[in-house]
Amino acid sequence: MASENTRKWAIIPEPNSMTVGEGTVLLPYAERVNESIAIGDGDFLLAHQLVADIRSATGTDWDIATGDMWSGFIRLRIADSRDFDSQDGGTAGAYTLTINTDGITITGCDFEGVRNGVQTLRQLIRQNGAVLPELQIADAPACQIRGYYLDATRGRVPTLAWLKQWADKLCLYKYNQLQLYIEHTFAFDGMSETWRGSSPLTPADTLEFDQYCANLGIELVPSVSTFGHQYVAMRTQELRELGEFPEDADRPFSFIERMRHHTLNVADDRAFAFSTQLVDSYLQLFRSKRFNICADETFDLGKGKSKQEAQRVGVATLYATYVGKLCEHLSKQGREPMFWGDIAIEMPEILETLPNNVTLLNWQYEPEATDEKIQLVAQAGAKQIVCPAVWGWNALLPRIDDAWNNIARIARYGLDCGAEGMLVTDWGDFGHVNDPRMAVPGMIFGAQYAWNPAGDTAENDLLERISRVEYGDCSARFVALLRNASAQAVFTWRELVEYLELDDGTGNCNTDVAQTIPCLADRLVDHLSDCGNAMTVREARNRMIRNMATTIERIPQANRALQQCMVDIAPIAAHMGNPGITAAVRIAMEGQLLLNRVGFALAEAHDVRDAHDAGDWRPSDYRALARELECWCEAYAKEWNATSQPSELHRIQETVWKAADELRRISK
């Protein structure tokens, strides 16, 4: 068997059983893919995928046929009862792949198995061209549900063209489920005040994308907020009375408040009618029987309009009753409800009330997460899918180490506790500043560990394999350099938003924002009792920046390291032949350099200098930095358009402009 140290190709997810021979197999310059009709691939998409990759890698054109009267160097077939032992890969999605001088044969336990085998062969063709290694693979997934969850609502609505590209990529790495997170970015009838200006997805988009995913063997599951996360809807004239705090509906928009104040007043019967209207109209556009009602982070429940009812029955009962009604409503229509498990886990008595057909989406994003919450749900006998994260939110560069630690850990916990699968989440908090293309390494981590959670794959090994398979990087360094660059993010998009939003728009300190910043939350009450008045914006910002003083000291060193990453990655990217990812990475790195410099300048403006008057700690040219930010923002906007509708790009731009204006203000 070839050594991993000498092999110049890789497969992701890594097969469970693979024997590599000494020889190679040369693909003929003109041959055929024979795909059995029994596979159920009506458009022969799998054969077309192979033909397209052969053309791209070798420049030759192959034919496609079906039936035993037609030969084929590549043969795709469905298994008969003798091909798979029930203990040895007889599960859904299992396949065998044989490459030898007689040709190439992929045998699948079912359609998904053939699809999975084809993706393995495609990866080999992309890396090796016309000369493939002799090998035999017998493979099957550990998780029957291998899903990806993409935020399509908190600032960035993907174009339909890009969604199809992403589905293609999920297929290549053997995912079989996709959910798009929707709050206000879908064109529901009668809700134009909610979705106006957000570039909403439409029923036609959904029908087309649902069919596209189905052809790829990916189940597109509807997911829409029906309880919490109604920030935009609860700020409209027509729907604000359904919220817990309708009196706050006209407050200035805030990225931070959007993450916290967004809960329906479920003590009002109109709330259930609103939620079921969303559910009933949305589910009709999908072939999936599953439906995710979300129902997470209901922070305001029982604190506003529903306070009296919560005092009477208890917050847990109020929550469980509402979610139970929504699940029952779906069940009556033959659907299988899913919802996020954070509230039920905080109030375990809710777990005992869940119907048997409900699946709890058990999210945990900490890199060092324990299995406590997953064990809790398993012991309660509830069905669950474990949900880690790609760790891209609130940042220009993905936190690759955090993603790897989180995903590998949660996948193993899920396997040990008998979870039904894994759903890897990709969030866009704070305006979705993170380019979705930056999530690819995290997505591939999810593909590997959903397939084989028990594997002992090392992070650095996986980074090298991703560089080869996904990016065509012969040096196998691209993803490691991206990881190293992300480690230089000292002053991030999150800190910039927090700093700016401490001003409530009237010159006063926004206490809702301050309460989300640990160094301020503990001080708010004390400050009021000590001084008899609220903390000012200047005081809050001073405390925030001073609390970051030790971190900010790293900025000169971090920016030098980041610039070196840019130098090292440039020639690698030039040879990858992927200008889209090259541009996205360059813009993200340049943006982080600027963010670090903004943090440095703000520290200087707040006199966080101590003994650093010399060396790297030197006065900033605030106005020049403001101009650089604005120029960068224009380049960022162009890259945004490569994947996304206009949606809320303007909010990102307005934040950058506020930062530029603040720099000019402190320069006076």
Side-chain angles (χ1 to χ4, degrees):
M1 186 168 178
S3 166
E4 285 291 344
N5 294 326
T6 59
R7 186 187 300 153
K8 299 302 182 184
W9 52 267
I11 299 169
I12 306 174
E14 191 170 17
N16 292 298
S17 173
M18 179 170 65
T19 301
V20 181
E22 295 296 328
T24 57
V25 175
L26 179 65
L27 291 178
Y29 68 89
E31 246 292 354
R32 179 181 295 127
V33 178
N34 185 301
E35 179 177 351
S36 170
I37 198 75
I39 293 170
D41 178 16
D43 294 328
F44 298 99
L45 174 68
L46 299 178
H48 282 291
Q49 286 182 328
L50 287 169
V51 168
D53 279 332
I54 291 170
R55 182 185 302 114
S56 177
T58 72
T60 60
D61 287 311
W62 279 37
D63 192 15
I64 292 172
T66 191
D68 57 12
M69 298 296 291
W70 297 92
S71 65
F73 191 80
I74 298 177
R75 300 172 291 275
L76 311 181
R77 55 189 292 266
I78 205 76
D80 60 33
S81 58
R82 296 167 296 177
D83 287 317
F84 287 93
D85 184 281
S86 60
Q87 294 181 336
D88 252 1
T91 57
Y95 72 93
T96 62
L97 167 62
T98 301
I99 303 176
N100 57 36
T101 53
D102 293 330
I104 300 171
T105 301
I106 295 172
T107 303
C109 187
D110 49 17
F111 166 78
E112 184 179 338
V114 179
R115 182 204 72 150
N116 293 337
V118 166
Q119 307 318 308
T120 296
L121 180 56
R122 292 177 67 203
Q123 292 184 20
L124 290 170
I125 291 169
R126 289 181 175 198
Q127 295 170 81
N128 295 283
V131 183
L132 301 181
E134 283 189 330
L135 55 73
Q136 288 183 319
I137 291 174
D139 205 8
C143 296
Q144 288 306 298
I145 295 175
R146 303 178 304 282
Y148 197 82
Y149 195 84
L150 178 64
D151 189 338
T153 206
R154 288 180 179 161
R156 188 187 288 267
V157 177
T159 63
L160 183 57
W162 187 83
L163 283 174
K164 289 179 178 179
Q165 293 175 28
W166 190 251
D168 290 337
K169 201 174 292 294
L170 293 177
C171 175
L172 181 64
Y173 294 105
K174 304 183 177 73
Y175 278 86
N176 62 5
Q177 187 182 112
L178 171 62
Q179 300 187 31
L180 302 181
Y181 176 54
I182 298 296
E183 290 174 9
H184 64 284
T185 53
F186 193 82
F188 289 105
D189 282 351
M191 292 184 62
S192 56
E193 189 187 2
T194 299
W195 49 253
R196 67 188 184 190
S198 69
S199 309
L201 294 167
T202 67
D205 294 332
T206 303
L207 291 171
E208 183 175 343
F209 191 48
D210 186 61
Q211 181 65 58
Y212 192 85
C213 288
N215 291 344
L216 293 170
I218 296 172
E219 178 186 15
L220 185 65
V221 175
S223 173
V224 64
S225 288
T226 58
F227 194 166
H229 289 290
Q230 295 288 346
Y231 180 76
V232 176
M234 296 304 99
R235 288 164 59 81
T236 65
Q237 296 292 329
E238 293 189 18
L239 296 172
R240 64 178 59 192
E241 290 303 319
L242 298 183
E244 284 280 10
F245 294 103
E247 64 273 17
D248 290 339
D250 291 322
R251 287 167 63 102
F253 175 89
S254 162
F255 285 132
I256 295 173
E257 288 186 39
R258 175 154 79 178
M259 299 302 299
R260 303 191 64 81
H261 300 302
H262 43 55
T263 307
L264 283 175
N265 167 23
V266 296
D268 188 328
D269 291 340
R270 294 175 298 174
F272 187 70
F274 168 73
S275 295
T276 54
Q277 178 187 354
L278 297 178
V279 168
D280 293 347
S281 55
Y282 204 44
L283 65 80
Q284 294 180 355
L285 304 174
F286 296 81
R287 67 192 67 203
S288 174
K289 293 298 182 184
R290 296 182 174 94
F291 196 106
N292 181 3
I293 61 172
C294 296
D296 58 317
E297 296 186 331
T298 51
F299 299 127
D300 289 334
L301 183 63
K303 296 179 180 179
K305 290 286 188 177
S306 70
K307 185 174 184 178
Q308 185 175 352
E309 182 65 9
Q311 290 174 338
R312 186 179 72 83
V313 303
V315 173
T317 298
L318 192 60
Y319 178 88
T321 299
Y322 195 75
V323 169
K325 285 170 62 180
L326 286 173
C327 290
E328 182 182 7
H329 181 80
L330 279 163
S331 298
K332 287 179 178 178
Q333 301 180 69
R335 305 287 168 152
E336 300 171 19
M338 314 169 91
F339 69 94
W340 298 109
D342 52 308
I343 305 300
I345 290 169
E346 288 176 10
M347 305 174 185
E349 61 269 32
I350 294 173
L351 293 174
E352 301 173 4
T353 70
L354 296 180
N356 292 332
N357 70 332
V358 172
T359 300
L360 208 69
L361 301 175
N362 195 348
W363 61 268
Q364 286 182 266
Y365 303 149
E366 301 86 355
E368 305 298 327
T370 69
D371 66 348
E372 181 181 358
K373 293 180 179 179
I374 296 171
Q375 290 275 12
L376 177 68
V377 175
Q379 291 165 6
K383 295 196 298 184
Q384 66 177 318
I385 292 174
V386 294
C387 307
V390 299
W391 272 87
W393 63 87
N394 301 346
L396 291 171
L397 291 165
R399 289 155 294 218
I400 289 175
D401 283 343
D402 289 338
W404 183 80
N405 278 302
N406 178 234
I407 291 170
R409 191 179 299 263
I410 294 300
R412 288 193 293 269
Y413 297 158
L415 180 68
D416 292 343
C417 291
E420 296 198 333
M422 186 162 79
L423 183 68
V424 180
T425 62
D426 182 359
W427 297 104
D429 308 9
F430 290 33
H432 211 145
V433 70
N434 42 309
D435 190 307
R437 292 169 291 187
M438 293 295 176
V440 169
M443 178 272 283
I444 299 178
F445 292 165
Q448 173 63 53
Y449 289 105
W451 193 268
N452 184 11
D456 58 357
T457 302
E459 180 183 7
N460 287 337
D461 174 62
L462 190 49
L463 296 186
E464 290 180 3
R465 290 198 284 133
I466 294 171
S467 294
R468 291 186 186 278
V469 177
E470 170 61 24
Y471 297 107
D473 169 26
C474 295
S475 75
R477 297 178 61 216
F478 180 79
V479 183
L481 286 168
L482 183 60
R483 185 262 313 268
N484 295 346
S486 70
Q488 312 313 320
V490 178
F491 191 80
T492 68
W493 180 255
R494 181 188 183 104
E495 276 91 36
L496 179 63
V497 170
E498 288 174 338
Y499 182 90
L500 295 174
E501 289 196 358
L502 280 170
D503 186 337
D504 68 359
T506 67
N508 296 315
C509 177
N510 187 326
T511 55
D512 281 338
V513 171
Q515 286 169 359
T516 69
I517 305 173
C519 69
L520 298 180
D522 296 338
R523 183 62 182 144
L524 284 173
V525 175
D526 293 340
H527 189 279
L528 185 60
S529 60
D530 292 345
C531 305
N533 51 32
M535 189 181 294
T536 66
V537 175
R538 177 70 182 179
E539 289 167 331
R541 287 176 170 175
N542 261 330
R543 178 169 287 272
M544 174 188 168
I545 295 297
R546 288 186 177 279
N547 189 66
M548 294 185 66
T550 302
T551 303
I552 287 174
E553 288 176 13
R554 290 185 48 235
I555 286 177
Q557 178 184 355
N559 271 13
R560 286 195 297 272
L562 184 50
Q563 287 169 329
Q564 187 60 51
C565 286
M566 294 169 67
V567 169
D568 293 341
I569 210 168
I572 295 172
H575 286 91
M576 290 185 340
N578 188 339
I581 192 62
T582 300
V585 168
R586 178 63 186 274
I587 292 298
M589 289 185 177
E590 291 282 2
Q592 188 55 59
L593 281 170
L594 288 169
L595 283 174
N596 283 349
R597 289 172 58 195
V598 169
F600 201 72
L602 292 176
E604 183 180 73
H606 286 274
D607 296 322
V608 182
R609 301 177 69 163
D610 299 330
H612 300 280
D613 292 327
D616 288 310
W617 196 279
R618 54 184 177 272
S620 300
D621 185 339
Y622 301 117
R623 293 185 179 184
L625 181 54
R627 292 191 292 270
E628 288 184 65
L629 272 176
E630 289 158 345
C631 291
W632 172 84
C633 193
E634 291 303 302
Y636 173 87
K638 291 178 182 177
E639 280 309 304
W640 175 288
N641 294 331
T643 64
S644 309
Q645 301 280 3
S647 34
E648 294 185 39
L649 171 60
H650 66 95
R651 298 198 191 280
I652 301 288
Q653 293 171 312
E654 288 163 4
T655 300
V656 173
W657 298 337
K658 283 181 183 177
D661 290 345
E662 181 67 17
L663 288 169
R664 291 187 175 98
R665 186 190 66 78
I666 62 179
S667 70
K668 297 177 180 178

